[in-house]
Amino acid sequence: MSVQDTPSAAEDERYSPRTAAELLLRAAHEHPDNGIGCLDDDPEAAPYTMRYPQLLSEATRLLHALRARGARPGRPVVLLLEQPRNFLPALWACLLGALTACPLTPLRGDPERWAAQLHHVAALLDDPLVLTTPELRAQMPAEVRLDVADLTELATGDIPRLSGDVVARPEDLALLVLTSGSTGTAKAVQLTHANLVASMRAKAEAHGAGPADITFNWVSYDHVAAVLEGHLLPVATGATQLHMPPHAVLADPVVFLRALSAHRVTATFTPNFLLGLINTRFGAGPLDDGLDLSHVHRIISGGEANPVATGKRFLELLAPHGLARTALWPAFGMTETCAGSLYNCEFPGADADGEFAAVGRAVTGLEVRIADPATGATPPAGTPGEVWLRGPMVTTGYYRDAAATAAALTPEGWLRTGDLGLLEDGRLTLAGRGKDSIIVNGVNYYSHDLESVLTEVEGVAPSFVAAFPVRPSGSDTEQLAVLFAATVVNEELPHAVARVRDRVVAHWGFRPAVILPLPRSEFSKTSLGKVQRGVLRARWEAGSYTAREQEVAALLAETAGGHSDPQGPTETALAEIYAELFGLTAISATAGFFDLGGTSLDVLRLARTVRARLGVELAVLDVLRAPSARELARLIDAPSRAGVAYDPVVTLQAGGEGTPLFCVHPGVGEVLVFVNLAKHFAGERPFHALRARGFNPGEKPFGSFTEMTRSYVAAIRRVQPHGPYALAGYSFGAAVAFEIAKVLEADGERVAFLGSFNLPPHIKYRMEELDFVETAVNLAMFLGLVDADEAGRLPRRLRSLPKTEQIATLLDSAPPGRLAQLDLDLPRLSAWADLAHGLTSLGRTYHPTGQVRAMTVFCADPLRGTRHDWVEKELRRWDEHTREDARYVDVPGEHYTMIGPRHVHAFAALLRAELARAFPVNALDPGATR
């Protein structure tokens, strides 16, 4: 069929393309003024344009040249071409002439991998014709023997008549797309013309796509999303499309936004990691005021998991630039399904409660089912299973690989994706990837889940993280390895390693066996920017990183002060307990408990183990004040441990030259809540917590707010005699910190920083709501014994019970194992509830008066109501009590979770920024003297 022979829609409403070739014929005939724009590095420059009739002509000329060069149906043509103006005509030459195209991207920075890639392609495709440019041909590894054709030499001569050249049939093989596995095992996915046409028809319907669209693609062409979502779909709809080389966007993610704005783009595709980079870029300063994203209808985001928080933050940050709240569509697709095949058009509204966004609903023609991966049976409702897909856009199999095809496709035509998911009301949510799982002690964990969390950690380069399983010699279970690219210098690496370790512990509950910072150059990536875990794992298992591991271990040991063998029976026993807790074979007697990665839960585990083995009742405060095995042994072996004077100051982090930060406890009186926050300031500034009186035997709780304030002021001045001071309080503690600041300022001292962690000045009204039952239930929720829903129901049930039964009921409500983790029993929880109730009673009498110089208020979601009302009607009342304008800083999370494991990293970064404002680096900082 020639372009002259193609019927218009008006001439034949029943006309429907059957091959990919006919898609271009129709676009050239019906939308001759639309076509392709090729951008270079400047997103706002005028593009090089190629309208669809011109694309058709260039492809026809190249098809004749390829045939003369030996290309024929059945012999794959490898397209080693990077620039759109080269790649796209070559692709269409293949599609028009029933030649099978195989896109490939050069691996310039890794000659060894590039050679392995080409060797594999040559063997798999059985002597393909490789079409490339003279520049790339000169750089190809010389040891690989391939039949290489020069595009520059072929793309010359007259344009022949098209008629008779379009010979493709629906069943013909159109594309071979290599999977993103390691080069030695990459498979070639077969996509027929019928697959492509069915996919384009379904995508266009799902997107609401049409010729008025302007699309934008920056992904390289070896990725199926670039070829199909970024190019073939706008051809199928007759839309205008723009293409830009990947390096321009990866070098500066704002280029992506500037391109959307400058060219009034309506639709684009990008993986989630770019959204994260853009979110991070906003933190470095404001973007161009001229950005206009009001015309963007959809940003398809697939290729990796989409954390809800990342997507919501992206939409919030770009809303002032006109981006619609509904513009981000998480999606799912595979090379085997012609890229995107499920789209979540209901984000973020339908995903508010999830950690990862659903991938949405299937396009027309695609069937989805959830199956038991072992039996193929449908699992019970609500149980995750393997996602199986079937439809006309699904591959026929893998090229020359019958075993892989049989493993992936059932006899009934279902594609086994390897992804685990849940299907509810036609909406698919992924629960992990079977082949990317890490099995530790019989439990499956998923790499993408952890990697998305670790990219938020300070000191970790976003999108340069790999988590994979390892099995050390002699181990009976898999263990976790985390490799990451650091954004800090060598001196700061120990802190970055510690933060990664702490985040893994907080997120998954166990420590990695390997944490290794590597140069960015070691992180092999796919063209879509996904780290190739398999390559890194193979290198680690081959011992390629042994020298680097030794170097990092020496650096960590140096930071910890070297190794010191334990001495004496108590010290030796404690060192053995420490080693067991942290999964180490040996431990230095001088290594600090928290420097080793100890968490607040580990403190309680340590106390329980010491009680069982040494018969010693260890208080939490003992570990906080004597964190190493040596210091703790001296404390335990002291002639008498009774009668120690009460000191509210607990030093959670002693190092650093910055002004010390003193944080006052929340209403539960304990300071364990600050342990993970304090780690973020290691080596920067001392971090002290103020603990309520009444936890230790014989201690009498405070009798008044004034007594508590005076006690804390005296303790602070013993540690730091003079200002400037840095003070903060969490919840109830913010009111106490405010009173401490008033006393210090009245004494002529300067309080350079005062922070309220989500507490308004007027607390008596909330305190008056809290009787003993409410206080005990809140304590139970704070400790994770009950969830928020249960906490709302319990008070009515408990009030009719005697006090002892109230506490016993809370203990009975705890999840299995939680009480053991916390080392809690009836007497301990009862005493803690009494102490918390006493602090609540003090709060009922508190009425804020007077003013301090300034305050920073960290604003999280309130216990009830909206954040907006909470900030405007409650928290902003601090303006009445500050001589300068108070600062209000939004932080992620809710009142009880704002400095918990999920949000502490973001909170620490915001707190650090506020401290930097109060204590500029070049300013004299006499408060560092302790």
Side-chain angles (χ1 to χ4, degrees):
M1 180 183 294
S2 71
V3 67
Q4 293 89 350
D5 298 331
T6 305
S8 68
E11 293 169 343
D12 187 354
E13 295 180 356
R14 296 170 298 172
Y15 170 68
S16 179
R18 299 180 307 133
T19 68
E22 292 171 6
L23 295 175
L24 178 58
L25 292 171
R26 184 173 68 173
H29 180 77
E30 297 185 4
H31 306 285
D33 293 331
N34 291 346
I36 297 164
C38 303
L39 295 164
D40 291 322
D41 292 358
D42 184 354
E44 294 168 348
Y48 164 84
T49 58
M50 184 189 304
R51 291 186 172 87
Y52 288 131
Q54 182 185 355
L55 174 62
L56 181 58
S57 297
E58 293 293 333
T60 304
R61 183 201 331 250
L62 190 54
L63 171 57
H64 278 262
L66 284 170
R67 284 174 173 165
R69 183 60 178 75
R72 62 187 183 277
R75 184 188 184 192
V77 179
V78 173
L79 304 181
L80 190 61
L81 301 165
E82 297 176 294
Q83 295 299 323
R85 65 189 71 182
N86 294 329
F87 175 86
L88 296 177
L91 171 68
W92 282 106
C94 294
L95 295 177
L96 291 170
L99 308 177
T100 303
C102 179
L104 199 65
T105 291
L107 304 175
R108 285 194 188 87
D110 195 336
E112 183 179 341
R113 284 187 61 233
W114 194 3
Q117 176 201 60
L118 293 177
H119 276 299
H120 178 65
V121 168
L124 178 64
L125 304 189
D126 191 18
D127 188 33
L129 177 64
V130 178
L131 183 58
T132 191
T133 62
E135 294 80 10
L136 280 174
R137 183 173 188 173
Q139 298 176 44
M140 290 174 64
E143 66 269 27
V144 184
R145 300 296 181 184
L146 287 164
D147 184 6
V148 181
D150 186 332
L151 178 68
T152 305
E153 296 175 357
L154 295 180
T156 58
D158 297 331
I159 300 176
R161 179 175 173 77
L162 179 65
S163 181
D165 289 322
V166 179
V167 296
R169 300 167 300 176
E171 65 271 22
D172 286 341
L173 194 54
L175 291 176
L176 289 174
V177 185
L178 298 179
T179 61
S180 59
S182 62
T183 56
T185 59
K187 301 184 290 289
V189 179
Q190 301 176 152
L191 297 176
T192 66
H193 282 263
N195 289 147
L196 300 182
V197 170
S199 176
M200 294 310 109
R201 184 181 297 116
K203 288 180 197 289
E205 178 189 9
H207 292 197
D213 272 323
I214 301 173
T215 69
F216 175 69
N217 170 66
W218 62 272
V219 179
S220 64
Y221 295 117
D222 65 329
H223 194 280
V224 70
V227 177
L228 303 188
E229 209 97 7
H231 173 62
L232 197 59
L233 177 58
V235 170
T237 61
T240 298
Q241 53 183 285
L242 297 168
H243 295 259
M244 173 176 264
H247 68 82
V249 172
L250 295 174
D252 180 4
V254 178
V255 165
F256 174 75
L257 301 178
R258 289 171 58 202
L260 301 187
S261 175
H263 300 282
R264 301 192 63 78
V265 170
T266 62
T268 188
F269 166 85
T270 187
N272 175 78
F273 84 86
L274 188 71
L275 307 182
L277 291 177
I278 291 171
N279 290 351
T280 301
R281 171 62 180 80
F282 265 87
L287 297 179
D288 299 335
D289 290 337
L291 280 179
D292 177 10
L293 305 177
S294 60
H295 40 271
V296 178
H297 175 249
R298 58 194 178 277
I299 300 175
I300 309 297
S301 183
E304 59 182 333
N306 284 83
V308 171
T310 300
K312 289 175 66 176
R313 179 68 174 157
F314 175 80
L315 292 171
E316 290 166 0
L317 289 172
L318 293 176
H321 298 278
L323 187 66
R325 179 74 172 168
T326 56
L328 183 62
W329 293 12
F332 174 76
M334 305 167 66
T335 302
E336 290 86 344
T337 66
C338 293
S341 301
L342 296 99
Y343 299 96
N344 180 0
C345 311
E346 301 161 275
F347 182 85
D351 299 275
D353 298 330
E355 182 177 0
F356 292 94
V359 295
R361 304 180 188 279
V363 297
T364 300
L366 182 70
E367 299 176 76
V368 184
R369 68 174 294 234
I370 304 299
D372 184 309
T375 66
T378 301
T383 302
E386 187 178 19
V387 179
W388 288 14
L389 304 174
R390 183 170 66 179
M393 63 288 296
V394 174
T395 181
T396 57
Y398 300 101
Y399 187 71
R400 299 179 64 194
D401 195 335
T405 299
L409 291 167
T410 72
E412 297 79 21
W414 289 101
L415 173 69
R416 304 180 56 157
T417 68
D419 288 282
L420 307 179
L422 287 167
L423 192 62
E424 298 177 304
D425 298 325
R427 203 162 178 267
L428 180 65
T429 301
L430 297 184
R433 180 123 181 102
K435 67 182 182 184
D436 290 339
S437 66
I438 299 161
I439 304 174
V440 178
N441 296 325
V443 180
N444 278 281
Y445 301 88
Y446 299 100
S447 299
H448 75 270
D449 173 34
L450 180 64
E451 289 165 355
S452 68
V453 169
L454 292 181
T455 57
E456 302 171 1
V457 173
E458 182 185 358
V460 175
S463 85
F464 285 85
V465 183
F468 53 81
V470 295
R471 188 181 293 272
S473 177
S475 175
D476 56 3
T477 185
E478 286 186 342
Q479 296 186 28
L480 172 65
V482 175
L483 277 54
F484 70 97
T487 59
V488 296
V489 297
N490 252 17
E491 292 74 14
E492 294 296 318
L493 272 183
H495 303 313
V497 169
R499 284 191 286 265
V500 168
R501 176 195 59 212
D502 295 342
R503 192 59 181 266
V504 175
V505 171
H507 192 65
W508 277 356
F510 60 87
R511 291 171 188 79
V514 177
I515 305 178
L516 186 61
L518 293 171
R520 291 190 185 209
S521 58
E522 287 293 327
F523 286 79
S524 302
K525 288 191 171 188
T526 68
S527 59
L528 199 57
K530 292 171 65 176
V531 169
Q532 293 184 303
R533 301 186 199 99
V535 173
L536 288 166
R537 180 177 179 179
R539 290 174 182 169
W540 185 87
E541 291 175 341
S544 300
Y545 300 135
T546 300
R548 176 60 175 164
E549 287 183 275
Q550 293 170 348
E551 178 186 341
V552 172
L555 188 62
L556 296 177
E558 180 182 344
T559 304
H563 182 84
S564 179
D565 290 329
Q567 302 170 1
T570 306
E571 199 172 299
T572 300
L574 288 172
E576 291 173 355
I577 293 172
Y578 276 34
E580 289 177 19
L581 282 174
F582 299 117
L584 302 171
T585 55
I587 211 158
S588 172
T590 57
F593 186 80
F594 298 107
D595 292 332
L596 291 167
T599 66
S600 53
L601 283 180
D602 290 326
V603 173
L604 301 170
R605 294 180 184 127
L606 175 64
R608 184 174 64 250
T609 307
V610 167
R611 183 190 313 122
R613 295 195 189 171
L614 303 183
V616 174
E617 195 69 33
L618 201 61
V620 168
L621 191 60
D622 293 335
V623 183
L624 298 177
R625 288 181 173 164
S628 71
R630 180 154 296 164
E631 292 170 304
L632 197 55
R634 290 172 182 164
L635 183 66
I636 290 173
D637 291 339
S640 174
R641 299 178 61 220
V644 177
Y646 166 70
D647 183 353
V649 175
V650 177
T651 300
L652 298 178
Q653 201 289 115
E657 295 303 315
T659 299
L661 175 63
F662 294 86
C663 283
V664 183
H665 58 80
V668 297
E670 189 53 273
V671 298
L672 287 176
V673 68
F674 295 124
V675 166
N676 290 332
L677 180 60
K679 292 178 184 179
H680 286 270
F681 296 90
E684 296 179 20
R685 66 180 69 246
F687 191 115
H688 306 292
L690 293 157
R691 188 174 190 250
R693 193 170 70 192
F695 279 100
N696 296 324
E699 284 182 359
K700 183 180 179 182
F702 292 117
S704 69
F705 219 89
T706 301
E707 181 189 11
M708 178 169 48
T709 301
R710 288 174 178 169
S711 175
Y712 292 172
V713 168
I716 289 170
R717 299 200 73 160
R718 283 195 296 273
V719 176
Q720 182 186 335
H722 298 289
Y725 289 98
L727 310 171
Y730 179 25
S731 190
F732 174 94
V736 186
F738 170 70
E739 293 300 320
I740 293 170
K742 282 168 50 181
V743 172
L744 290 172
E745 289 187 348
D747 289 345
E749 297 289 352
R750 180 169 180 264
V751 177
F753 175 80
L754 175 62
S756 166
F757 296 178
N758 206 45
L759 188 88
H762 298 274
I763 64 172
K764 64 175 295 184
Y765 309 108
R766 172 60 179 160
M767 298 298 105
E768 287 172 350
E769 296 176 354
L770 301 176
D771 57 9
F772 176 81
V773 168
E774 291 277 2
T775 300
V777 170
N778 278 345
L779 173 62
M781 182 168 64
F782 182 85
L783 295 172
L785 305 183
V786 299
D787 59 27
D789 290 339
E790 197 170 8
R793 297 189 299 266
L794 273 171
R796 180 181 299 179
R797 173 185 168 195
L798 296 181
R799 284 197 176 92
S800 62
L801 302 175
K803 183 176 176 180
T804 301
E805 292 185 28
Q806 292 171 351
I807 302 300
T809 301
L810 291 175
L811 291 172
D812 291 340
S813 302
R818 182 63 176 169
L819 299 179
Q821 285 181 332
L822 296 173
D823 197 29
L824 276 179
D825 55 16
L826 184 60
R828 287 186 175 85
L829 184 58
S830 297
W832 198 340
D834 284 336
L835 189 149
H837 181 55
L839 291 172
T840 299
S841 300
L842 297 185
R844 295 193 194 106
T845 66
Y846 177 71
H847 181 74
T849 60
Q851 292 183 321
V852 294
R853 182 187 61 82
M855 175 179 279
T856 297
V857 184
F858 296 88
C859 312
D861 290 341
L863 297 173
R864 55 178 177 266
T866 67
R867 182 182 291 220
H868 178 269
D869 286 349
W870 172 244
V871 173
E872 297 301 322
K873 297 178 181 179
E874 298 292 341
L875 293 180
R876 284 198 179 275
R877 296 193 66 180
W878 279 117
D879 289 337
E880 303 166 16
H881 300 282
T882 57
R883 297 188 293 277
E884 299 176 6
D885 290 341
R887 289 179 53 79
Y888 295 88
V889 177
D890 273 330
V891 298
E894 301 171 343
H895 185 78
Y896 283 113
T897 65
M898 61 191 291
I899 59 174
R902 183 174 178 181
H903 301 299
V904 67
H905 303 272
F907 186 91
L910 293 167
L911 175 58
R912 177 178 292 105
E914 291 303 306
L915 286 165
R917 288 175 60 92
F919 299 97
V921 173
N922 59 351
L924 184 64
D925 193 0
T929 304
R930 295 179 294 285

